[in-house]
Amino acid sequence: MISLRHYEIFKTVAETGNFTKAAAKLYITQSAVSHAVRELEERAGTALFDRLARRVRLTRCGELLLAELLPLLAACGSLEGRIAALEGEAPIGVVSSITIAAFWLPGILRRFAERWPRLRVNVEVVSAANAVERLRGGGADLALVEGVPPRGAFICSAFASCRLKIVCAPGYLPAGTRLSVKEFCAERLLLRERGSAIRDVLDGALLAVGYEARPLWTSVNSLALIEAAKAGLGVAILPGELLEAALSEKRLTEIEVEGLSLRNGFFSVRHRDKYLTEPLRELLSLIEECGKAEISY
């Protein structure tokens, strides 16, 4: 069978014009060179070299073959030089929930790019449930999710958490209002949709004490809930970092619900059988480092 090695030998013979010199350059025997050239000529069905007195010279057919081979061998040489650096160029696919993508991921990826400037990180921002499904189906290398870590063939690492705050407009309830869980559930609630991490945390906490939320508003968009709360339409539950500006401007006020302490966990998730490249390991390390400065809004 003709291999790339045959073509390398052929090219070297053409360059040196001599079987002996080609053998010395390739660190193989002259008989190995002669054998490789003979196999190539048998495959081509024609002579590729004219054997002269003290040297060999390409035939017209040999010249045609060499012209075809040179770009191929040059590409192979380039690949040989790059093959050890493939991990530094192979793109990484990340799926992230909205809160992590908005407040955490940009800083992490900026630091990552300083170390791996040629590596492309493709990011898709989706719900936590969709992020896990993308990971399960092989559409991503890493998922960054919030709420409850997924079960199954995954390795999940908690890297941080943030407090969920219960807020309303200052005119809706007086500042410092303290509600029971029953009173809270009777309020006009402005909540994220079922299946979102924030809603799952709330529903789990209420279920543990025998209550269920029946929202007036349900939205996939946290900013819509913030605006509704500012307008005095009800009580919203959202991550503290989303509410910081509105609280500092006193357009929203925080209220307390007895016995209801809500925290949203952040997790990096990867498939158990996924091979970890060096860049992917470093990205996971940066995520863990970032998590040490935990959000405390």
Side-chain angles (χ1 to χ4, degrees):
M1 179 180 293
I2 301 301
S3 67
L4 185 63
R5 185 60 169 166
H6 286 77
Y7 296 129
E8 291 173 340
I9 292 171
F10 169 77
K11 173 177 174 286
T12 305
V13 173
E15 289 173 342
T16 60
N18 185 284
F19 281 26
T20 302
K21 291 179 180 178
K25 188 173 182 178
L26 295 169
Y27 300 100
I28 59 177
T29 64
Q30 181 178 335
S31 62
V33 171
S34 299
H35 182 70
V37 170
R38 185 167 59 251
E39 287 185 328
L40 264 180
E41 291 180 324
E42 289 174 357
R43 180 65 179 273
T46 186
L48 300 175
F49 291 101
D50 286 322
R51 277 73 168 173
L52 306 178
R54 295 185 177 180
R55 64 189 306 271
V56 295
R57 186 174 61 190
L58 286 169
T59 64
R60 296 297 187 190
C61 292
E63 290 174 354
L64 288 176
L65 178 59
L66 183 63
E68 291 282 342
L69 280 179
L70 288 177
L72 173 64
L73 294 175
C76 289
S78 175
L79 177 60
E80 182 69 23
R82 292 176 53 217
I83 195 166
L86 290 177
E87 286 195 356
E89 298 181 14
I92 293 175
V94 176
V95 284
S96 174
S97 63
I98 298 169
T99 302
I100 296 175
F103 293 94
W104 292 70
L105 196 53
I108 292 170
L109 293 185
R110 183 174 60 250
R111 292 180 60 195
F112 182 77
E114 293 171 359
R115 174 68 178 84
W116 301 94
R118 298 181 62 184
L119 194 152
R120 181 186 178 95
V121 180
N122 300 315
V123 177
E124 187 176 357
V125 181
V126 296
S127 68
N130 287 338
V132 173
E133 286 308 307
R134 292 280 291 146
L135 190 66
R136 195 189 311 274
D141 301 300
L142 178 67
L144 301 177
V145 301
E146 49 188 300
V148 179
R151 297 180 180 180
F154 301 112
I155 295 176
C156 305
S157 299
F159 64 89
S161 66
C162 70
R163 189 162 70 89
L164 299 180
K165 293 188 176 183
I166 304 170
V167 296
C168 64
Y172 181 82
L173 289 173
T177 295
R178 184 180 179 89
L179 302 175
S180 67
V181 174
K182 182 178 180 180
E183 290 170 333
F184 166 75
C185 290
E187 287 293 340
R188 291 179 289 178
L189 301 179
L190 314 172
L191 304 181
R192 286 292 304 270
E193 78 284 6
R194 286 189 183 275
S196 68
I198 297 168
R199 181 66 179 275
D200 286 346
V201 170
L202 174 64
D203 286 348
L206 292 177
L207 182 63
V209 292
Y211 286 91
E212 179 183 358
R214 299 184 183 275
L216 178 68
W217 275 44
T218 300
S219 174
V220 299
N221 189 306
S222 297
L223 294 180
L225 299 178
I226 291 174
E227 293 304 316
K230 287 179 182 178
L233 299 182
V235 176
I237 299 92
L238 291 167
E241 63 268 36
L242 291 179
L243 302 168
E244 184 182 20
L247 288 170
S248 64
E249 294 167 0
K250 302 190 183 304
R251 300 189 65 187
L252 289 176
T253 187
E254 186 175 0
I255 62 175
E256 186 177 348
V257 177
E258 296 174 1
L260 201 62
S261 179
L262 305 175
R263 292 198 73 83
N264 197 19
F266 297 153
F267 302 87
S268 64
V269 184
R270 58 185 173 87
H271 199 281
R272 182 181 299 140
D273 299 324
K274 176 72 178 177
Y275 173 74
L276 287 182
T277 62
E278 183 183 351
L280 190 52
R281 287 196 300 270
E282 187 157 339
L283 180 56
L284 287 167
S285 177
L286 287 174
I287 292 167
E288 289 183 12
E289 289 177 16
C290 187
K292 291 175 183 177
E294 185 169 316
I295 293 177
S296 58
Y297 296 93

